Amino acid sequence: MKPRAALLAPTSVLALVGCAGEATPVDVEALAQSGRSAFVCLAIDRPDPEKPGVLRSLPITDCSYRTADTPTDFEVDEAEGGRAKLPHLYALVTQTSRGEVAVIDMTSERSPILDLDPGTPGASFLPVGAQPVDIVASRGGTASFVAVAEPGREGIFALPSARVLPREGCPVPALSSWPSCSLGSPPGEILLVSDPAAPDGKLRSSCSSDYDIDPASPGEAEASDDACGSSSGDLSREGLGRQKLLVTLPELGGFAVIDAQTLLEDERYAEGGFAPCEVERWVPLQVSLPPAAPPDVAPHGPECVAPSASAGPAQSVEAPRPAGLALAGDRLFVADLDAPVIHVVDLPSPCDPIELPPLLPASTLDPERVVTTSRIAVSPALPPDFRRFLYAVDAGDGSVMVFDVSDGAESRAPLSRPHPEWNPFQPPDRIRLPAPVRDLAVVQREAPASLPATGVAPEGIRCDPDPRLRTCDSSVASCDIETLYRTSAARDAGAGPLKLRGSFAYLVLTNGDVALVDVDDLDAACRGPAIGGARAGCAEGASDGDTPLATSGEVSCNVVSPHTLRSANYIATSDGAGQLEPGVQGLPILFDRAGSVVPFSAESPKMRATFPPGDAPPLTLAVGADRETIEAADSGQTLVDEQGLVLRAGEPQHALSMNLEDPRVHLANETWTVTYEGVLPGFARTFVRFDEEDGAVRSADARFCRRGVQSRASVEEQLLAAGVEEREAAARAAQLADFVQITSALPAEDADYWENLESSVCSFESCNAKYGSVITSRPGLRVVEAYEDHLTLESRDPAVDEVAFAACCFGGEVQLGVRAAGQWVVQSGGAGFLHHVVADPDTGRCRNACDERLARLNGRVVHTRDDGRVTDGDLGAFVNPMFRFAVTGGVPEQDMQFRFITQGAFRPLLVQLSDQAEIQPQAIRLVPATGELAITDGSFEGLILLNARSVGATRRFN
């Protein structure tokens, strides 16, 4: 099939010939709308220099990174009978819009895209029929198989490797050149799996036949001298048993088992015969769901509320629609686009599939949603515990779930993070990224270090920071090899963000980025602080007392954490690393209402870091490029208690402490304000009406709960739950409940409102006396109870009915502001005002959610009157996901404000596939020969390869 017009600048392509001379390069168009890829390793021997070369298929691992100047350079060694010493690695890439498979010589440095018909203008690839949906190649390179969904001609095409390269004197491939068979339904993804040989080494030709076939010897593959490849090849020479195709048929809800060798050699399928495929096993997939159960809710009192119980989607049974496939040992996993399951099939042989209980995709945050999956991948099992994990793309929102599929794993639900409260911005049971995930792959990477004394470089060694180990260097005869992987003092070698050793997931996003996720990093133990502590997210006993570990010196024990995004940087502040540790650009500064700086003094309010209970490592704060010490004791040398403050030139300064348990929670560098009795954001355009009957203000779109309003009743219930005595709780609740200030202007003095007003409660003169002044001096109306659409109010002065008076002064719709009484309001331009207030599903009242995951979504700081040390958990101790502090002492005034700017936002390790063209990633596949990852682009970028030894795109074929 020839294209009518070039889609990109032409690329030079060279015809591969069987003689010694090179053909003239031909200008052809680039690849377009690539779909899936497969890879084969081939060589062309020249036993007779006077005759065309003989193609030899090889195991994929026989190819490597070695390159050749041209597609015809195989380094033929005449001394060894014309045997090729440099096999070439070829990529077969489906072209979805043209119904073809492009052949790319990945070994050739020049003219890598092969033109199958160089005598005709334009590029000629291998025709296979419209809508090729998947392609797989045998590991020994004998043949490849393409699933085609062309309406009316759905089927499988076999591409014998002997015919995929352009050869002088051989016919140009046509659709009828390939063995092919028809299917009764459009195929989906396909896999090649092996039916193992019997104990005596014999094979069976089909699932229903006896083991009576002697496998061919690999040496026999070299006996053929047919340059045009009239033979389709013998898969048994690969030594992998009898190879079968597993072909998903989504519309029929199952997969078929088809013998690959029969497709290659049976006369029914030869020369485009397209007879019906001989299905040896049909496996209809089942949708088996357990009884639905409401979510577990921890016991709680009225101080917080739980969401309404849901039975979840388990009762929603859909017919299966198989999607992505993944094979791990003798277990086959099948994603499902319609049913909320991932099918698990025991596959000791493709002839004997047994479906097991499925994995159960679900969403913790949206339990009523039916979660289905599109693409899946399984990790290798690494020592010492040999755990294996399945990564699955949520077809609904493009996030990624992780399942434990190790032997003996008990749960079939997605894994949840151990401490979801550390990062409430991420769902607890999945990885959510800036763009949906299109495809994914889990691969194992290794960069073994050599023992100085022997030169031996064993693989799979985990880095160990134990200072008691003997460090390896050239001067010692014996040492502990685990020390070879430690981070160097300059952080330019050893364990680091760009050193990949272990298992990693590559997530291809629809926006053209590739995100890396840590699955099992062999260097994880060496990435963290020298002395761990709870504030750094370290497990108890992470370090032995005061003995520093030989680590990278980063500030968190979770710089590397399983099933989370990998950091692009060291999480540390130093001259070499830069300002990458979560901290502040400068120490907090206090301003008054007019915007003037309030000097630090014994009489001023102070922001100070809070301390963890019990013994803990000294606290520090990254400030710019420096790390400041937070004072843990009062020296008595200044007029204030220095605990929780920073000393500069002997003078105390405001401070705070950063949360370092999970660096990923620091999403952006932001400007933060901490305002005393500040205004809650979100009400600037909200209009309400007074209800004269119950003293409430109402508005259908006010969303008081969702904007975090806190009533007197809610505060009192929280204090009682915290153990405060009943009378004190009532008094403090009145002090800390939010209050409302009317921000609208009074009706004009000559307005009809005053002429028609029939009330003894107010007049223009009395209203103007109270509400004609600046807004901040207007009376505040305390919120007694809050609901999503209305607030019940009371006067803060029990001697005056301010609610009735305000309702009289302001007829019709008015605007209001809601302020936090006796508290400092914390907010930023990006994160906004954080809270976890929700509407009680039973009563509609605004209450904090009981969900522990949301416990750090806080935006209020209760002012602590007394100066001095504040411990985490105290009433005035504030914590949000990013930092923690308390504000103590002094007499704060309304709209006093602390300001600071955070730094050290987490930067995930992303690979940008293209910085010039808009791309549409389709699929990712591992290239076993080189360890690269190949990504196909549905636009014009063709095939993009990510380097196995570094992080980045290193080769492109387009």
Side-chain angles (χ1 to χ4, degrees):
M1 183 182 296
K2 293 288 183 179
R4 296 181 180 178
L7 299 176
L8 277 183
T11 303
S12 179
V13 175
L14 186 67
L16 180 64
V17 297
C19 58
E22 293 186 3
T24 303
V26 181
D27 286 341
V28 299
E29 68 170 2
L31 306 178
Q33 296 185 9
S34 300
R36 298 293 187 97
S37 60
F39 306 90
V40 294
C41 182
L42 306 174
I44 295 183
D45 299 327
R46 298 294 303 280
D48 187 343
E50 303 300 322
K51 295 182 179 181
V54 177
L55 187 141
R56 175 164 46 96
S57 58
L58 297 165
I60 189 68
T61 51
D62 281 11
C63 281
S64 66
Y65 267 113
R66 291 184 61 195
T67 59
D69 185 50
T70 69
T72 59
D73 180 12
F74 290 90
E75 294 187 3
V76 172
D77 188 345
E78 296 182 0
E80 293 194 14
R83 188 178 182 84
K85 294 294 188 180
L86 178 57
H88 285 214
L89 178 63
Y90 296 92
L92 305 179
V93 183
T94 60
Q95 305 295 285
T96 57
S97 65
R98 295 163 54 173
E100 296 179 332
V101 174
V103 183
I104 302 173
D105 188 339
M106 297 170 62
T107 302
S108 176
E109 294 184 341
R110 290 196 292 149
S111 308
I113 302 175
L114 305 184
D115 186 2
L116 275 297
D117 186 9
T120 304
S124 288
F125 299 141
L126 307 176
V128 293
Q131 298 183 28
V133 293
D134 202 2
I135 182 171
V136 294
S138 65
R139 281 181 282 177
T142 302
S144 303
F145 301 86
V146 185
V148 174
E150 179 180 354
R153 285 186 58 83
E154 301 93 346
I156 306 293
F157 284 79
L159 309 182
S161 295
R163 302 180 207 167
V164 300
L165 303 184
R167 309 296 299 279
E168 184 180 37
C170 298
V172 176
L175 196 62
S176 60
S177 300
W178 317 115
S180 58
C181 69
S182 64
L183 294 165
S185 181
E189 290 196 14
I190 59 177
L191 274 181
L192 264 177
V193 297
S194 296
D195 182 18
D200 61 2
K202 292 191 175 184
L203 307 176
R204 53 181 171 177
S205 60
S206 71
C207 291
S208 58
S209 64
D210 296 329
Y211 288 91
D212 55 5
I213 299 176
D214 292 317
S217 168
E220 296 176 17
E222 302 179 15
S224 173
D225 60 358
D226 181 2
C228 293
S230 58
S231 171
S232 296
D234 187 349
L235 291 169
S236 67
R237 291 194 178 102
E238 297 184 1
L240 300 173
R242 187 79 177 189
Q243 298 191 48
K244 309 286 184 181
L245 285 164
L246 301 187
V247 183
T248 58
L249 299 175
E251 293 183 1
L252 300 182
F255 66 86
V257 179
I258 299 171
D259 186 70
Q261 187 62 45
T262 299
L263 176 57
L264 280 172
E265 65 184 12
D266 196 294
E267 293 183 357
R268 293 173 294 170
Y269 310 129
E271 297 180 352
F274 215 62
C277 298
E278 183 178 325
V279 176
E280 299 187 352
R281 290 286 186 272
W282 168 247
V283 183
L285 296 170
Q286 306 298 316
V287 179
S288 175
L289 299 173
D296 294 332
V297 178
H300 62 87
E303 77 281 358
C304 68
V305 298
S308 56
S310 168
Q315 304 298 334
S316 176
V317 178
E318 298 287 343
R321 186 179 182 84
L325 299 175
L327 186 66
D330 58 0
R331 287 287 167 87
L332 174 69
F333 299 92
V334 186
D336 199 306
L337 282 170
D338 282 352
V341 298
I342 296 174
H343 305 277
V344 182
V345 182
D346 189 28
L347 207 67
S349 160
C351 297
D352 305 298
I354 302 172
E355 188 164 4
L356 303 175
L359 303 176
L360 302 173
S363 171
T364 299
L365 299 187
D366 189 3
E368 295 184 1
R369 181 165 70 93
V370 176
V371 178
T372 61
T373 51
S374 56
R375 305 282 178 85
I376 55 178
V378 183
S379 72
L382 298 182
D385 53 8
F386 295 97
R387 296 184 72 187
R388 193 187 296 274
F389 301 95
L390 180 141
Y391 279 57
V393 178
D394 184 329
D397 64 9
S399 61
V400 172
M401 297 167 286
V402 184
F403 298 82
D404 187 349
V405 293
S406 311
D407 292 340
E410 296 181 356
S411 175
R412 294 188 279 153
L415 294 178
S416 291
R417 287 178 286 120
H419 290 279
E421 75 280 5
W422 289 350
N423 187 357
F425 305 126
Q426 271 284 342
D429 58 351
R430 61 197 58 228
I431 306 167
R432 182 170 290 163
L433 296 114
V437 174
R438 183 73 175 88
D439 198 8
L440 72 173
V442 182
V443 298
Q444 185 174 352
R445 297 299 195 198
E446 182 58 283
S450 301
L451 283 165
T454 63
V456 175
E459 296 186 351
I461 303 299
R462 294 182 180 271
C463 186
D464 194 330
D466 189 337
R468 295 167 295 185
L469 298 181
R470 187 170 187 182
T471 305
C472 291
D473 58 49
S474 57
S475 64
V476 298
S478 64
C479 62
D480 293 302
I481 192 172
E482 297 89 343
T483 64
L484 287 171
Y485 298 100
R486 293 175 178 173
T487 306
S488 65
R491 295 198 179 102
D492 56 359
L498 304 182
K499 187 69 169 290
L500 302 181
R501 290 195 326 113
S503 296
F504 305 90
Y506 287 70
L507 312 183
V508 182
L509 311 187
T510 55
N511 65 0
D513 288 340
V514 179
L516 270 74
V517 171
D518 292 313
V519 180
D520 186 1
D521 185 352
L522 296 177
D523 292 332
C526 292
R527 299 281 307 279
I531 297 179
R535 191 68 64 86
C538 304
E540 189 174 350
S543 58
D544 185 13
D546 296 329
T547 305
L549 299 174
T551 66
S552 58
E554 295 171 88
V555 297
S556 173
C557 280
N558 294 300
V559 170
V560 176
S561 182
H563 318 306
T564 62
L565 291 172
R566 187 171 181 84
S567 171
N569 306 306
Y570 288 102
I571 309 297
T573 292
S574 68
D575 293 338
Q579 300 175 18
L580 304 176
E581 175 183 337
V584 292
Q585 295 181 14
L587 292 174
I589 298 175
L590 179 61
F591 297 85
D592 62 19
R593 173 181 289 177
S596 299
V597 174
V598 177
F600 189 101
S601 70
E603 291 75 30
S604 67
K606 304 160 194 66
M607 179 182 289
R608 62 179 73 227
T610 59
F611 291 88
D615 295 332
L619 298 181
T620 61
L621 174 64
V623 184
D626 301 319
R627 187 177 289 171
E628 305 268 8
T629 299
I630 294 174
E631 298 300 315
D634 183 18
S635 67
Q637 301 299 311
T638 63
L639 297 177
V640 300
D641 189 323
E642 298 158 3
Q643 296 179 94
L645 303 175
V646 164
L647 292 181
R648 281 187 170 176
E651 295 297 324
Q653 304 291 329
H654 303 293
L656 68 158
S657 178
M658 305 302 293
N659 291 330
L660 303 172
E661 298 101 332
D662 185 355
R664 293 156 196 81
V665 76
H666 299 277
L667 301 177
N669 300 329
E670 297 187 85
T671 298
W672 288 84
T673 60
V674 181
T675 309
Y676 186 68
E677 294 195 340
V679 177
L680 272 60
F683 294 105
R685 299 182 181 179
T686 299
F687 290 85
V688 299
R689 286 181 177 271
F690 276 96
D691 188 326
E692 297 181 2
E693 294 184 1
D694 59 3
V697 290
R698 299 179 182 274
S699 173
D701 63 348
R703 298 181 291 177
F704 291 114
C705 298
R706 275 179 279 183
R707 287 170 174 164
V709 175
Q710 183 172 260
S711 66
R712 187 191 69 187
S714 175
V715 176
E716 185 172 354
E717 289 167 356
Q718 293 177 53
L719 292 171
L720 290 172
V724 178
E725 187 268 331
E726 186 172 346
R727 181 178 297 181
E728 182 183 353
R732 297 207 59 178
Q735 296 170 357
L736 298 176
D738 291 346
F739 63 93
V740 167
Q741 284 183 319
I742 307 301
T743 59
S744 295
L746 285 170
E749 184 176 3
D750 58 355
D752 292 342
Y753 176 77
W754 302 111
E755 292 291 333
N756 300 326
L757 182 66
E758 297 180 1
S759 173
S760 59
V761 176
C762 71
S763 63
F764 173 78
E765 290 75 13
S766 62
C767 290
N768 190 53
K770 185 164 289 189
Y771 289 102
S773 57
V774 294
I775 292 173
T776 53
S777 64
R778 291 180 174 181
L781 309 177
R782 183 185 295 123
V783 178
V784 178
E785 190 59 88
Y787 301 82
E788 190 73 343
D789 62 348
H790 69 281
L791 304 175
T792 58
L793 306 174
E794 67 180 8
S795 175
R796 299 174 79 186
D797 182 356
V800 181
D801 189 353
E802 294 285 4
V803 178
F805 185 77
C808 179
C809 292
F810 294 92
E813 290 186 332
V814 296
Q815 289 180 283
L816 53 77
V818 180
R819 287 181 176 267
Q823 300 167 84
W824 300 76
V825 174
V826 184
Q827 60 181 310
S828 74
F833 171 66
L834 300 178
H835 67 87
H836 50 288
V837 176
V838 297
D840 188 321
D842 297 325
T843 65
R845 296 178 300 187
C846 300
R847 293 293 185 271
N848 283 339
C850 296
D851 189 347
E852 285 297 322
R853 181 184 67 88
L854 307 178
R856 291 190 179 183
L857 291 181
N858 299 309
R860 301 167 180 270
V861 188
V862 176
H863 185 81
T864 301
R865 295 179 182 178
D866 298 329
D867 264 332
R869 184 186 186 99
V870 179
T871 301
D872 294 338
D874 289 350
L875 183 60
F878 170 80
V879 59
N880 73 5
M882 286 71 72
F883 45 77
R884 59 184 76 204
F885 61 83
V887 181
T888 67
V891 180
E893 298 176 358
Q894 191 176 91
D895 290 330
M896 263 189 171
Q897 187 176 86
F898 290 95
R899 301 175 195 167
F900 58 90
I901 302 174
T902 57
Q903 68 176 27
F906 181 81
R907 181 168 159 247
L909 184 56
L910 299 174
V911 179
Q912 188 177 19
L913 295 179
S914 176
D915 58 359
Q916 298 178 344
E918 180 178 344
I919 69 172
Q920 300 173 12
Q922 298 299 303
I924 182 170
R925 289 253 171 107
L926 176 68
V927 186
T930 60
E932 294 169 294
L933 285 161
I935 299 170
T936 47
D937 174 39
S939 185
F940 304 119
E941 291 297 298
L943 189 68
I944 304 169
L945 289 119
L946 304 185
N947 196 295
R949 298 182 178 89
S950 62
V951 178
T954 55
R955 294 200 283 172
R956 301 173 187 270
F957 300 97
N958 58 7

